[in-house]
Amino acid sequence: MSDIVKIFAPGSVSNVGCGFDILGFAIDGVGDEMIVKKNDQHKIIIESINGYEELPTDPKKNVAGVAIQALLDDLDSTQGFDVEIFKNIKPGSGIGSSAASAAGAVFAVNELMGKPYSRLKLVDFAMKGEAVASGDEHADNVAPATLGGFCLIRSYKPLDIISIKAPADLWCIVIHPQIEIKTKESRALLSSDIPLKKAIRQWGNVAGLMSGLYTSNYELIGRSLEDHIVESQRKILIPEFDELKLSVMEAGALGCSISGSGPSVFALANGIDKANVIAAVMNTVYKRTSIEYKIYVSKVSEGGVQICE
Amino acid sequence: MSDIVKIFAPGSVSNVGCGFDILGFAIDGVGDEMIVKKNDQHKIIIESINGYEELPTDPKKNVAGVAIQALLDDLDSTQGFDVEIFKNIKPGSGIGSSAASAAGAVFAVNELMGKPYSRLKLVDFAMKGEAVASGDEHADNVAPATLGGFCLIRSYKPLDIISIKAPADLWCIVIHPQIEIKTKESRALLSSDIPLKKAIRQWGNVAGLMSGLYTSNYELIGRSLEDHIVESQRKILIPEFDELKLSVMEAGALGCSISGSGPSVFALANGIDKANVIAAVMNTVYKRTSIEYKIYVSKVSEGGVQICE
């Protein structure tokens, strides 16, 4: 068994339009890398966070540290680890920055401990880390980051996660305006009650999206992405959201909505050619603004966190 | 082309626990029979309604008559028909009584006119008939009665119906207490606003149910049936609902909830043996009451309305 491992932990898109708080998928186009090494000091040491040095290195405050500790507690182990994090996803991006670090950390430690846990079980520990950043234990980013593909979080008590393979030609385009939206603030925008009629439309779309995923019906996936509850309340935080959405839909996107709690916006497309057209359209809309941004074009990740060879 | 046809139109279970207003499935165990015959009088004549003579025979007020007229209007035809209806489903039962008559009528007329329409298109016309009884155009009973299997009504505007084949061993048990609940009255019980948190649990379950149906995961189907919004508000109209549900769940039902707007209650089971046990348990609970009832044990209907040979 090796004493050191390097891993890639993918970013992820949660909510996915209609699936607020229950659905997410992983994307291979962007993610964190981590090097994790056993040490003899019986403690977790976050050696460095390259890319976003303002993140806490105290292992009790760092998502990777907390997630690793949750795993070690369950194993009743006092093994120590040195952790180097190479962050490519800005915190507060809406594409699962903290989830990638949490999922990557527990995956790496599980490898170094001889794989005592399944990937599904690792989600439990990663959720504990994610909670440090978002204030609540959510799985709609850590589950896809860990397992790959689409993940449905049917229920939290008990935790019930269902993996769904993405259709072969489903591509994702994400634009990440480099402004920060805190999940907590974005959640505060949401009404605590919603009209039953809107809720019915929403669960009709959720069911349609699931059907589309299982039958590789791209058009159905697209028309099911519609969100009648969250998007309209949250889009005010995202510059040019309406123009962005209109433009990518005109360019042939299957659907488009806010990624997680924003500010990132994602679109889905059938095939790489269409995905590249949509990325170009996003670029055209955003280059007129003074906001810095990044655009990622990627297939839905098949496998989640991976060891880098 | 024959001038006369006899058909069987199945009953159906709508809502299906979590899928309020968007989901339904057809059951072969109970349904209406109809004999429809061309006439030369250029009008629709509801000759008889055997079983429930209190239903209107005026074709403008009868669901079968209205549904047939909608089809003929679309065809621009003045062909007349004699219709005999043998109703086995009591109106106001919650198992799609009016939907069976509407679906059966348009299916029969379509046959006699040389099948100008697909089954999917027939749902449009059947909805017009159903609206006479329920006050609103709903498809969650007429679609499964027409198409068979499970039907998702993703959206009404535009109408977007998705058929889902039921898992091979999925059985349904329905108890129909012979009391009437009008859909309109049952709808009036529902709050117009619901908590977002409950809505999230509901669409998590809807997604889980869809996943269970596509992967024949019976346990997942069962635990996804949970309804956190409608059942608790409507069950007060159904005598012994709580005891019924508790008893069938203890007997191994996958799940149990109100069929449509009640008073019928359905349970799902994996295999006929379990289904028969659950039917016996329902019988035990209800025979202690003074209420008349019927119990049906049936596979989910594969094909919807059928011609009787």
Side-chain angles (χ1 to χ4, degrees):
Chain A
M1 204 184 312
S2 174
D3 279 349
I4 183 165
V5 67
K6 183 176 178 189
I7 61 92
F8 170 80
S12 50
V13 171
S14 63
N15 297 342
V16 197
C18 56
F20 179 64
D21 264 8
I22 64 153
L23 209 60
F25 63 84
I27 46 174
D28 277 332
V30 61
D32 290 351
E33 288 174 314
M34 306 174 93
I35 296 172
V36 181
K37 194 168 54 176
K38 280 187 180 175
N39 71 31
D40 296 326
Q41 298 169 64
H42 300 294
K43 56 186 184 185
I44 300 160
I45 301 169
I46 310 292
E47 290 191 315
S48 59
I49 305 175
N50 299 286
Y52 296 94
E53 285 75 9
E54 69 277 21
L55 291 172
T57 53
D58 176 350
K60 291 192 173 59
K61 294 178 181 165
N62 179 286
V63 294
V66 172
I68 292 171
Q69 192 60 56
L71 184 154
L72 294 177
D73 288 348
D74 196 70
L75 263 189
D76 212 8
S77 166
T78 58
Q79 176 65 50
F81 292 94
D82 298 333
V83 180
E84 276 185 277
I85 306 174
F86 303 86
K87 283 209 79 67
N88 295 308
I89 315 176
K90 191 178 157 82
S93 61
I95 45 174
S97 175
S98 53
S101 293
V106 293
F107 177 84
V109 165
N110 192 51
E111 287 291 312
L112 296 176
M113 297 300 282
K115 293 196 193 179
Y117 298 111
S118 69
R119 279 190 187 243
L120 189 59
K121 178 64 190 168
L122 292 179
V123 175
D124 276 355
F125 306 129
M127 281 172 69
K128 305 269 191 263
E130 166 83 328
V132 177
S134 72
D136 218 341
E137 287 190 24
H138 275 90
D140 47 355
N141 286 107
V142 289
T146 307
L147 303 167
F150 277 78
C151 289
L152 162 65
I153 322 300
R154 189 195 63 86
S155 126
Y156 278 92
K157 288 179 186 173
L159 189 61
D160 191 6
I161 296 172
I162 294 125
S163 278
I164 305 140
K165 203 169 145 45
D169 288 320
L170 192 63
W171 284 71
C172 176
I173 314 95
V174 174
I175 181 165
H176 172 199
Q178 306 280 301
I179 55 174
E180 182 173 355
I181 294 179
K182 286 237 161 58
T183 304
K184 286 179 201 177
E185 289 164 16
S186 188
R187 289 191 89 82
L189 280 179
L190 302 178
S191 310
S192 60
D193 286 319
I194 60 173
L196 177 60
K197 280 189 177 174
K198 282 193 178 184
I200 292 166
R201 290 180 70 185
Q202 195 89 352
W203 60 65
N205 281 324
V206 165
L209 177 51
M210 294 296 287
S211 178
L213 291 174
Y214 278 107
T215 60
S216 293
N217 183 335
Y218 294 90
E219 298 305 318
L220 177 56
I221 290 170
R223 58 184 193 267
S224 300
L225 280 184
E226 268 182 56
D227 161 26
H228 298 288
I229 292 171
V230 177
E231 185 179 290
S232 59
Q233 297 183 72
R234 279 184 165 174
K235 67 180 185 180
I236 52 170
L237 297 177
I238 303 168
E240 308 302 332
F241 178 82
D242 285 334
E243 197 191 337
L244 201 57
K245 180 163 181 167
L246 190 66
S247 303
V248 301
M249 293 307 290
E250 282 177 359
L254 297 169
C256 170
S257 191
I258 301 168
S259 178
S261 49
S264 291
V265 174
F266 79 99
L268 292 178
N270 184 352
I272 186 172
D273 293 343
K274 193 63 85 176
N276 284 329
V277 169
I278 290 161
V281 167
M282 285 183 170
N283 188 53
T284 303
V285 173
Y286 249 71
K287 75 181 175 198
R288 288 185 220 127
T289 71
S290 58
I291 301 162
E292 285 186 50
Y293 59 94
K294 289 184 179 173
I295 293 174
Y296 307 103
V297 177
S298 167
K299 260 191 146 168
V300 174
S301 167
E302 276 186 31
V305 193
Q306 301 295 335
I307 294 172
C308 302
E309 300 303 335
Chain B
M1 205 185 312
S2 176
D3 279 352
I4 182 166
V5 68
K6 183 177 179 188
I7 60 94
F8 170 83
S12 50
V13 171
S14 63
N15 296 344
V16 198
C18 57
F20 181 64
D21 264 7
I22 65 154
L23 209 59
F25 62 85
I27 47 174
D28 277 334
V30 60
D32 291 351
E33 289 174 314
M34 305 173 93
I35 295 172
V36 181
K37 194 168 55 177
K38 280 187 180 175
N39 70 33
D40 297 327
Q41 298 170 65
H42 301 294
K43 57 186 182 184
I44 300 160
I45 301 169
I46 311 292
E47 289 191 317
S48 60
I49 306 175
N50 299 286
Y52 296 94
E53 285 73 12
E54 71 276 21
L55 291 170
T57 53
D58 176 351
K60 291 192 171 60
K61 294 179 182 166
N62 178 286
V63 294
V66 173
I68 292 170
Q69 193 60 56
L71 184 154
L72 293 176
D73 288 350
D74 197 71
L75 263 189
D76 213 7
S77 166
T78 58
Q79 176 66 50
F81 292 94
D82 299 333
V83 181
E84 276 184 279
I85 306 175
F86 303 86
K87 282 208 80 67
N88 295 306
I89 315 176
K90 193 177 154 84
S93 61
I95 45 174
S97 176
S98 54
S101 293
V106 293
F107 178 83
V109 165
N110 193 52
E111 286 292 310
L112 296 176
M113 295 301 281
K115 294 195 193 180
Y117 298 111
S118 69
R119 279 190 187 243
L120 189 60
K121 179 64 190 167
L122 292 179
V123 175
D124 276 355
F125 306 129
M127 281 172 68
K128 305 269 191 268
E130 166 84 326
V132 177
S134 72
D136 219 343
E137 286 189 25
H138 276 90
D140 47 356
N141 286 106
V142 291
T146 307
L147 304 167
F150 278 77
C151 289
L152 161 65
I153 323 300
R154 189 194 64 84
S155 127
Y156 279 92
K157 288 178 185 175
L159 188 62
D160 190 5
I161 295 172
I162 294 127
S163 278
I164 305 141
K165 204 169 143 48
D169 289 319
L170 191 63
W171 283 73
C172 176
I173 314 94
V174 175
I175 182 165
H176 172 199
Q178 304 281 301
I179 55 175
E180 183 173 355
I181 294 179
K182 287 238 160 59
T183 304
K184 286 179 199 174
E185 289 165 15
S186 186
R187 290 192 88 82
L189 281 178
L190 302 178
S191 311
S192 60
D193 285 322
I194 59 173
L196 177 59
K197 282 190 176 173
K198 282 194 179 185
I200 292 166
R201 290 180 70 185
Q202 194 90 351
W203 60 64
N205 280 324
V206 165
L209 177 53
M210 294 297 286
S211 177
L213 290 173
Y214 277 107
T215 60
S216 294
N217 182 334
Y218 294 90
E219 298 305 318
L220 176 56
I221 290 170
R223 57 185 194 267
S224 301
L225 280 184
E226 268 181 56
D227 161 27
H228 298 288
I229 291 171
V230 177
E231 186 180 291
S232 59
Q233 298 183 72
R234 279 184 165 175
K235 69 179 183 180
I236 52 170
L237 296 177
I238 302 169
E240 309 301 332
F241 178 82
D242 286 333
E243 198 192 336
L244 202 58
K245 181 164 181 168
L246 191 66
S247 303
V248 302
M249 293 308 290
E250 281 177 358
L254 297 169
C256 171
S257 191
I258 301 168
S259 177
S261 49
S264 291
V265 174
F266 79 99
L268 292 179
N270 183 351
I272 186 172
D273 293 344
K274 192 63 87 179
N276 283 329
V277 169
I278 289 161
V281 166
M282 285 182 170
N283 188 52
T284 302
V285 173
Y286 250 71
K287 75 182 174 196
R288 288 186 220 124
T289 71
S290 59
I291 301 162
E292 285 186 50
Y293 58 93
K294 288 183 179 174
I295 294 174
Y296 307 104
V297 177
S298 168
K299 262 192 142 166
V300 174
S301 167
E302 277 186 31
V305 194
Q306 301 296 334
I307 294 173
C308 303
E309 299 303 336

XYZ file of all heavy atoms in Angstrom, chain B residues 107-163:
429
model
N -61.658 5.584 -27.651
C -60.936 4.453 -28.249
C -61.864 3.685 -29.195
O -61.489 3.348 -30.325
C -60.407 3.521 -27.154
C -59.702 2.311 -27.679
C -58.367 2.373 -28.051
C -60.371 1.098 -27.816
C -57.705 1.252 -28.547
C -59.717 -0.030 -28.324
C -58.382 0.059 -28.683
N -63.086 3.422 -28.727
C -64.046 2.659 -29.535
C -64.384 3.407 -30.835
O -64.382 2.822 -31.930
C -65.308 2.398 -28.717
N -64.662 4.683 -30.704
C -65.027 5.479 -31.881
C -63.848 5.564 -32.857
O -64.020 5.467 -34.076
C -65.518 6.882 -31.446
C -65.548 7.847 -32.627
C -66.894 6.765 -30.794
N -62.646 5.702 -32.313
C -61.451 5.735 -33.174
C -61.322 4.438 -33.980
O -60.986 4.466 -35.171
C -60.205 5.964 -32.314
C -58.963 6.320 -33.131
O -59.010 7.235 -33.949
N -57.879 5.608 -32.909
N -61.602 3.317 -33.312
C -61.577 2.023 -34.012
C -62.590 2.016 -35.156
O -62.282 1.619 -36.277
C -61.940 0.879 -33.042
C -60.862 0.517 -32.046
C -59.638 -0.124 -32.687
O -59.802 -1.073 -33.478
O -58.518 0.342 -32.402
N -63.808 2.461 -34.841
C -64.898 2.398 -35.840
C -64.696 3.389 -36.983
O -65.254 3.216 -38.072
C -66.248 2.651 -35.148
C -66.667 1.591 -34.114
C -67.969 1.999 -33.412
C -66.839 0.218 -34.769
N -63.890 4.418 -36.736
C -63.629 5.412 -37.789
C -62.364 5.061 -38.587
O -61.911 5.854 -39.423
C -63.464 6.806 -37.176
C -64.721 7.360 -36.504
S -66.157 7.518 -37.609
C -65.745 9.039 -38.482
N -61.775 3.903 -38.322
C -60.590 3.496 -39.084
C -59.280 3.975 -38.484
O -58.300 4.165 -39.202
N -59.268 4.200 -37.191
C -58.060 4.583 -36.440
C -57.342 5.817 -36.977
O -56.125 5.777 -37.255
C -57.060 3.411 -36.405
C -57.545 2.212 -35.618
C -56.354 1.293 -35.349
C -56.813 -0.055 -34.841
N -55.711 -0.973 -34.559
N -58.046 6.909 -37.158
C -57.349 8.117 -37.619
C -56.351 8.677 -36.595
O -55.453 9.433 -36.976
C -58.491 9.114 -37.857
C -59.633 8.611 -37.019
C -59.492 7.131 -36.998
N -56.519 8.335 -35.317
C -55.662 8.938 -34.282
C -54.828 7.889 -33.548
O -55.240 6.740 -33.371
C -56.520 9.684 -33.257
C -57.312 10.827 -33.837
C -58.696 10.763 -33.932
C -56.665 11.976 -34.293
C -59.426 11.812 -34.466
C -57.393 13.028 -34.833
C -58.768 12.947 -34.924
O -59.480 13.985 -35.455
N -53.666 8.319 -33.071
C -52.835 7.497 -32.192
C -53.479 7.456 -30.804
O -54.300 8.305 -30.460
C -51.438 8.111 -32.063
O -51.526 9.331 -31.338
N -53.084 6.468 -30.006
C -53.588 6.422 -28.632
C -53.241 7.702 -27.875
O -54.042 8.222 -27.101
C -52.981 5.230 -27.877
C -53.679 3.903 -28.165
C -53.198 2.824 -27.204
N -53.745 1.530 -27.574
C -54.576 0.808 -26.803
N -54.927 1.247 -25.608
N -55.040 -0.356 -27.212
N -52.040 8.203 -28.112
C -51.620 9.412 -27.398
C -52.541 10.590 -27.711
O -52.941 11.349 -26.817
C -50.165 9.757 -27.760
C -49.512 10.871 -26.941
C -49.464 10.525 -25.458
C -48.092 11.143 -27.439
N -52.915 10.729 -28.968
C -53.801 11.818 -29.360
C -55.195 11.635 -28.752
O -55.887 12.620 -28.422
C -53.879 11.888 -30.892
C -54.798 12.960 -31.460
C -54.334 14.369 -31.110
C -55.408 15.402 -31.471
N -55.120 16.719 -30.883
N -55.608 10.377 -28.585
C -56.933 10.115 -28.006
C -57.064 10.690 -26.585
O -58.155 11.022 -26.134
C -57.225 8.610 -27.977
C -57.419 7.925 -29.335
C -57.679 6.429 -29.139
C -58.565 8.564 -30.128
N -55.905 10.774 -25.898
C -55.929 11.322 -24.528
C -56.514 12.744 -24.529
O -57.284 13.119 -23.641
C -54.512 11.312 -23.907
C -54.512 11.984 -22.534
C -53.987 9.883 -23.795
N -56.172 13.529 -25.534
C -56.703 14.896 -25.664
C -58.228 14.906 -25.607
O -58.838 15.712 -24.898
C -56.322 15.494 -27.031
C -54.943 16.090 -27.043
O -54.310 16.121 -25.969
O -54.506 16.512 -28.128
N -58.834 14.029 -26.404
C -60.301 14.003 -26.487
C -60.893 13.463 -25.185
O -61.902 13.980 -24.688
C -60.753 13.143 -27.675
C -60.133 13.550 -28.978
C -59.497 12.627 -29.806
C -60.179 14.883 -29.391
C -58.926 13.004 -31.010
C -59.605 15.273 -30.602
C -58.974 14.324 -31.408
N -60.254 12.441 -24.634
C -60.760 11.863 -23.391
C -60.731 12.891 -22.256
O -61.626 12.918 -21.407
C -59.948 10.623 -23.026
N -59.723 13.746 -22.267
C -59.629 14.793 -21.236
C -60.842 15.720 -21.256
O -61.289 16.202 -20.223
C -58.363 15.637 -21.439
C -57.095 14.982 -20.935
S -55.613 15.922 -21.412
C -55.800 17.420 -20.431
N -61.345 15.986 -22.464
C -62.525 16.860 -22.580
C -63.731 16.206 -21.902
O -64.555 16.880 -21.281
C -62.848 17.130 -24.050
C -61.710 17.704 -24.865
C -61.737 19.204 -24.845
C -60.772 19.804 -25.860
N -59.435 20.068 -25.283
N -63.846 14.893 -22.038
C -64.922 14.182 -21.368
C -64.741 14.182 -19.861
O -65.658 14.493 -19.103
N -63.519 13.868 -19.448
C -63.183 13.832 -18.016
C -63.510 15.163 -17.337
O -63.953 15.189 -16.173
C -61.687 13.508 -17.894
C -61.046 13.728 -16.547
C -61.214 12.569 -15.590
O -62.274 11.912 -15.652
O -60.303 12.332 -14.789
N -63.319 16.248 -18.056
C -63.549 17.582 -17.480
C -65.014 17.771 -17.065
O -65.313 18.518 -16.127
C -63.133 18.663 -18.470
N -65.937 17.092 -17.750
C -67.356 17.202 -17.391
C -67.587 16.705 -15.969
O -68.379 17.262 -15.206
C -68.226 16.360 -18.359
C -69.691 16.397 -17.946
C -68.062 16.855 -19.782
N -66.858 15.661 -15.590
C -67.042 15.081 -14.263
C -66.233 15.799 -13.188
O -66.710 16.027 -12.086
C -66.661 13.600 -14.290
N -64.993 16.175 -13.523
C -64.116 16.693 -12.468
C -64.021 18.212 -12.462
O -63.462 18.801 -11.550
C -62.705 16.101 -12.617
O -62.058 16.676 -13.730
N -64.556 18.850 -13.494
C -64.550 20.318 -13.528
C -63.270 20.883 -14.111
O -63.116 22.090 -14.228
N -62.337 20.021 -14.454
C -61.042 20.487 -14.940
C -60.465 19.421 -15.871
O -60.728 18.244 -15.691
C -60.106 20.674 -13.738
C -59.240 21.909 -13.902
O -59.131 22.425 -15.035
O -58.690 22.365 -12.886
N -59.681 19.841 -16.842
C -59.077 18.853 -17.740
C -57.850 18.228 -17.099
O -56.801 18.853 -17.012
C -58.705 19.506 -19.081
C -59.913 19.780 -19.937
C -59.556 20.217 -21.354
O -58.454 19.878 -21.830
O -60.384 20.908 -21.967
N -58.004 17.010 -16.631
C -56.882 16.281 -16.054
C -56.556 15.079 -16.922
O -57.434 14.513 -17.555
C -57.210 15.839 -14.635
C -56.949 16.909 -13.633
N -57.900 17.826 -13.273
C -55.824 17.229 -12.949
C -57.364 18.671 -12.401
N -56.122 18.337 -12.184
N -55.307 14.687 -16.897
C -54.911 13.534 -17.716
C -54.368 12.392 -16.871
O -54.032 11.344 -17.417
C -53.872 13.957 -18.751
N -54.285 12.574 -15.549
C -53.588 11.548 -14.763
C -54.398 10.269 -14.593
O -53.867 9.251 -14.141
C -53.068 12.090 -13.420
C -54.085 12.906 -12.649
O -55.191 13.142 -13.172
O -53.787 13.301 -11.514
N -55.680 10.278 -14.957
C -56.432 9.025 -15.088
C -56.667 8.657 -16.553
O -56.521 7.491 -16.926
C -57.785 9.109 -14.364
C -57.656 9.040 -12.853
O -57.805 10.043 -12.151
N -57.354 7.865 -12.330
N -57.051 9.614 -17.382
C -57.356 9.255 -18.773
C -56.127 8.794 -19.539
O -56.224 7.908 -20.398
C -58.080 10.378 -19.574
C -59.491 10.573 -19.067
C -57.315 11.661 -19.606
N -54.961 9.347 -19.229
C -53.757 8.903 -19.950
C -53.447 7.434 -19.643
O -53.319 6.631 -20.577
C -52.564 9.806 -19.649
N -53.333 7.022 -18.368
C -53.088 5.588 -18.135
C -54.234 4.704 -18.624
O -53.977 3.615 -19.162
C -52.885 5.477 -16.622
C -53.325 6.765 -16.039
C -53.215 7.790 -17.117
N -55.496 5.152 -18.483
C -56.607 4.321 -18.974
C -56.481 4.105 -20.480
O -56.799 3.046 -21.003
C -57.947 4.969 -18.626
N -55.993 5.102 -21.200
C -55.853 5.009 -22.657
C -54.583 4.262 -23.069
O -54.597 3.443 -23.984
C -55.817 6.434 -23.277
O -56.951 7.161 -22.811
C -55.828 6.372 -24.793
N -53.483 4.560 -22.383
C -52.171 4.067 -22.829
C -51.688 2.840 -22.064
O -50.798 2.126 -22.530
C -51.126 5.183 -22.685
C -51.434 6.493 -23.419
C -50.500 7.597 -22.931
C -51.301 6.331 -24.926
N -52.223 2.615 -20.874
C -51.724 1.532 -20.026
C -50.471 1.934 -19.278
O -49.922 3.028 -19.490
N -49.997 1.054 -18.396
C -48.770 1.306 -17.643
C -48.839 2.552 -16.777
O -49.919 3.014 -16.413
N -47.683 3.082 -16.451
C -47.610 4.354 -15.734
C -47.570 5.491 -16.747
O -46.960 5.349 -17.821
C -46.338 4.426 -14.880
C -46.445 3.728 -13.555
C -46.368 2.346 -13.465
C -46.629 4.455 -12.383
C -46.465 1.692 -12.241
C -46.730 3.818 -11.153
C -46.647 2.425 -11.082
N -48.194 6.594 -16.420
C -48.104 7.779 -17.273
C -47.711 8.974 -16.427
O -48.323 9.237 -15.388
C -49.434 8.074 -17.949
S -49.860 6.880 -19.225
N -46.707 9.665 -16.895
C -46.315 10.933 -16.299
C -46.906 12.058 -17.139
O -46.730 12.075 -18.356
C -44.782 11.045 -16.291
C -44.190 12.451 -16.121
C -44.526 13.021 -14.751
C -42.677 12.414 -16.333
N -47.620 12.967 -16.491
C -48.085 14.175 -17.177
C -47.114 15.272 -16.775
O -47.298 15.940 -15.754
C -49.515 14.566 -16.758
C -50.403 13.341 -16.527
C -50.120 15.544 -17.765
C -50.574 12.440 -17.711
N -46.044 15.428 -17.546
C -45.019 16.405 -17.148
C -45.557 17.812 -17.166
O -45.254 18.631 -16.304
C -43.790 16.319 -18.070
C -42.623 17.167 -17.565
C -41.545 17.372 -18.612
N -42.004 18.124 -19.760
C -42.063 19.458 -19.847
N -41.670 20.204 -18.837
N -42.511 20.046 -20.938
N -46.364 18.102 -18.173
C -46.884 19.458 -18.296
C -48.217 19.415 -19.033
O -48.493 18.479 -19.807
C -45.850 20.331 -19.030
O -46.387 21.006 -20.139
N -49.064 20.401 -18.747
C -50.355 20.509 -19.441
C -50.307 21.490 -20.600
O -51.020 21.333 -21.579
C -51.460 20.897 -18.455
C -51.976 19.694 -17.683
C -51.435 19.334 -16.463
C -52.972 18.884 -18.218
C -51.891 18.213 -15.778
C -53.431 17.767 -17.551
C -52.890 17.436 -16.331
O -53.331 16.319 -15.669
N -49.498 22.541 -20.431
C -49.393 23.533 -21.503
C -47.947 23.691 -21.887
O -47.227 24.438 -21.221
C -49.996 24.862 -21.042
C -51.503 24.786 -20.954
C -52.094 26.094 -20.449
C -53.598 25.915 -20.263
N -54.247 27.070 -19.667
N -47.463 23.026 -22.913
C -48.195 22.081 -23.767
C -48.331 20.730 -23.069
O -47.548 20.410 -22.183
C -47.279 21.960 -24.995
C -45.909 22.169 -24.440
C -46.058 23.162 -23.320
N -49.323 19.943 -23.511
C -49.533 18.622 -22.939
C -48.334 17.733 -23.270
O -47.951 17.592 -24.421
C -50.820 18.015 -23.511
C -51.284 16.700 -22.859
C -51.605 16.899 -21.385
C -52.517 16.158 -23.582
N -47.715 17.170 -22.229
C -46.496 16.372 -22.420
C -46.634 15.111 -21.565
O -46.472 15.144 -20.351
C -45.281 17.199 -21.979
C -43.953 16.554 -22.370
O -43.971 15.516 -23.060
O -42.898 17.095 -21.982
N -46.995 14.025 -22.227
C -47.276 12.767 -21.540
C -46.175 11.758 -21.842
O -45.814 11.557 -22.998
C -48.632 12.194 -22.001
C -49.750 13.147 -21.575
C -48.861 10.794 -21.413
C -51.105 12.784 -22.136
N -45.640 11.152 -20.796
C -44.565 10.171 -20.960
C -45.030 8.825 -20.399
O -45.452 8.745 -19.250
C -43.287 10.652 -20.232
C -42.773 11.913 -20.922
C -42.204 9.571 -20.252
C -42.560 13.070 -20.031
N -44.979 7.786 -21.233
C -45.362 6.439 -20.806
C -44.185 5.723 -20.175
O -43.070 5.796 -20.698
C -45.810 5.611 -22.018
O -47.140 5.894 -22.322
